[in-house]
């Protein structure tokens, strides 16, 4: 199946489809079955949850950003921006969601978790997501696939 057809069928980003196909080719695996990405299709309800966090932040006069962290179909962390409220330049919504999930779970690393945010995570938030083992990031109303977070320390 061509990458554009697989993209249309699964809703997974074209970049992800191409990367999966390249990985299969490099390993000598056959055809389209190998090219099907393992990542779940992003769910709009989690973007709506991130929007709720954005609205909460705005309600107290903070920056208009929100994020949530999801694992196996369950909300595990919520993050409204608290930059203004807490007078903390590092209290971005994404990092707040990660901290909340870590606090709730008692775990520092959250493998397979998916981060949903109202906007593209900044490099510091992406680094925090990478350090926490977040598997994938989606942002904005179109659920843009930002891929797996990359650490700035690499």
């Amino acid at each position: 199946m061509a990458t554009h057809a697989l993209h249309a069928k699964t809703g997974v980003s074209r970049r992800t489809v191409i990367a999966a196909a390249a990985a299969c080719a490099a390993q000598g695996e056959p055809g389209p079955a190998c090219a099907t990405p393992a990542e779940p299709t992003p769910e709009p309800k989690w973007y709506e949850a991130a929007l709720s966090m954005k609205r909460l932040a705005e309600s107290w006069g903070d920056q208009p950003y929100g994020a949530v962290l999801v694992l196996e179909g369950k909300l595990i962390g919520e993050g409204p921006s608290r930059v203004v409220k807490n007078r903390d330049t590092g209290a971005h919504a994404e990092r707040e969601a990660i901290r909340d999930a870590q606090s709730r779970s008692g775990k520092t690393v959250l493998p397979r978790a998916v981060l949903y945010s109202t906007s593209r995570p900044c490099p510091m938030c992406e680094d925090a997501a990478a350090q926490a083992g977040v598997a994938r990031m989606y942002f904005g109303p179109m659920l843009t696939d930002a891929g797996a977070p990359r650490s700035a320390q690499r």
Side-chain angles (χ1 to χ4, degrees):
M1 181 180 296
T3 58
H4 65 279
L6 186 58
H7 166 65
K9 182 178 178 183
T10 64
V12 176
S13 80
R14 186 178 176 122
R15 179 179 65 167
T16 300
V17 172
I18 292 168
C24 288
Q27 295 173 12
E29 296 293 327
C34 183
T36 304
E39 291 86 20
T41 302
E43 295 186 49
K45 71 179 180 179
W46 300 125
Y47 174 72
E48 291 298 324
L51 271 179
S52 293
M53 292 295 100
K54 174 187 172 185
R55 290 183 196 110
L56 178 60
E58 291 173 319
S59 77
W60 59 54
D62 219 305
Q63 297 177 337
Y65 303 107
V68 296
L69 204 62
V70 176
L71 179 62
E72 297 173 354
K74 295 179 184 165
L75 183 78
I76 62 167
E78 299 175 298
S81 173
R82 291 189 174 100
V83 171
V84 175
K85 182 179 183 191
N86 292 355
R87 296 184 181 135
D88 178 358
T89 58
H92 292 193
E94 295 84 359
R95 281 183 271 169
E96 290 295 297
I98 292 166
R99 287 179 193 137
D100 185 46
Q102 290 169 327
S103 175
R104 288 184 192 193
S105 70
K107 298 176 181 177
T108 306
V109 180
L110 306 160
R112 300 179 322 279
V114 179
L115 180 66
Y116 288 84
S117 356
T118 55
S119 64
R120 176 78 163 98
C122 75
M124 292 182 297
C125 290
E126 184 170 354
D127 184 58
Q131 296 300 316
V134 170
R136 198 127 208 110
M137 302 181 302
Y138 296 102
F139 69 93
M142 299 302 293
L143 295 172
T144 302
D145 184 352
R150 295 183 208 142
S151 177
Q153 298 176 8
R154 285 186 186 166

